[in-house]
């Protein structure tokens, strides 16, 4: 559901399943090349401060839907009942700003949890993780003697923690 001018002019709210695409799809994208893309459920806010500044915030869940019933292993284990979800939460803040023909997009992303397919840290997306990602992207389009050039610089730093899961966990 998309609601424009939610109580405040230029504030847009989106609630439910949504597609999140940032820039060149490095952090968030629809991943056309992948067999299985991410489905994100949650709420996002977009506030257009001025013609050059936008503020964005969201709480999303990665709805992978890979948690079957008890017969298939479900999402049970580590004290969670089968059928419960370990899909991760994502919270982000982003502020795209246009300055003298350059778009600067600083961002902070917090991600907790994952689907925990298998035991231990050697498996993908452990459920007991908390990661922060900070960074951003700057992009511009310039003409160099009749040649149109797109210039993009993008960089992120990630920090956080991943804890052990059960007796078989460890560093591999």
């Amino acid at each position: 559901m998309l609601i424009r001018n939610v109580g405040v002019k230029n504030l847009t709210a989106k609630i439910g399943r949504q597609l999140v695409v940032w820039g060149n799809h490095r952090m968030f994208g629809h991943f056309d090349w992948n067999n299985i893309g991410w489905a994100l459920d949650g709420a996002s806010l977009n506030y257009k401060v001025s013609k050059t500044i936008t503020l964005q915030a969201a709480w999303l869940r990665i709805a992978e839907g890979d948690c079957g019933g008890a017969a298939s292993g479900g999402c049970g284990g580590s004290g969670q009942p089968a059928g419960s979800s370990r899909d991760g939460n994502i919270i982000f803040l982003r502020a795209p700003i246009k300055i003298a023909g350059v778009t600067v997009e600083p961002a902070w992303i917090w991600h907790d949890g994952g689907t925990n397919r298998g035991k231990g840290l050697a498996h993908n997306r452990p459920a007991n993780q908390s990661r922060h990602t900070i960074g951003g992207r700057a992009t511009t389009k310039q003409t160099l003697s009749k040649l149109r050039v797109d210039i993009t610089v993008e960089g992120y730093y990630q920090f956080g923690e991943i804890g052990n899961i059960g007796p078989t966990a460890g560093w591999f």
Side-chain angles (χ1 to χ4, degrees):
M1 169 184 350
L2 180 69
I3 305 170
R4 297 188 191 280
N5 297 318
V6 181
V8 176
K9 187 178 179 186
N10 298 326
L11 177 64
T12 301
K14 191 183 293 187
I15 301 167
R17 179 133 319 158
Q18 49 196 285
L19 179 67
V20 179
V21 177
W22 289 9
N24 294 336
H25 304 247
R26 292 181 206 270
M27 296 307 289
F28 288 99
H30 57 73
F31 304 114
D32 274 348
W33 49 266
N34 193 356
N35 290 335
I36 303 169
W38 280 9
L40 300 168
D41 293 332
S44 61
L45 297 172
N46 191 15
Y47 179 62
K48 190 162 181 78
V49 177
S50 68
K51 289 183 179 183
T52 58
I53 301 172
T54 303
L55 301 176
Q56 299 173 334
W59 167 77
L60 304 165
R61 290 200 42 95
I62 303 171
E64 295 174 300
D66 59 356
C67 296
S72 64
C75 288
S78 298
Q80 276 195 319
S84 64
S85 174
R86 288 192 183 186
D87 291 343
N89 291 298
I90 295 174
I91 295 175
F92 73 74
L93 299 173
R94 184 171 174 241
I97 303 167
K98 294 180 183 176
I99 305 168
V102 177
T103 302
V104 179
E105 301 171 352
W108 167 76
I109 305 165
W110 175 67
H111 178 242
D112 81 327
T115 55
N116 188 30
R117 295 181 187 171
K119 296 279 186 195
L121 299 175
H123 297 278
N124 58 347
R125 298 187 303 266
N128 59 346
Q129 63 180 315
S130 177
R131 290 181 286 150
H132 297 270
T133 305
I134 56 172
R137 175 177 185 264
T139 184
T140 186
K141 295 181 181 184
Q142 300 293 326
T143 302
L144 302 171
S145 79
K146 297 189 182 180
L147 181 64
R148 189 80 170 151
V149 179
D150 291 344
I151 302 168
T152 301
V153 175
E154 190 166 3
Y156 296 92
Y157 178 75
Q158 192 171 77
F159 58 96
E161 60 187 30
I162 299 176
N164 287 332
I165 305 170
T168 60
W171 297 101
F172 296 93

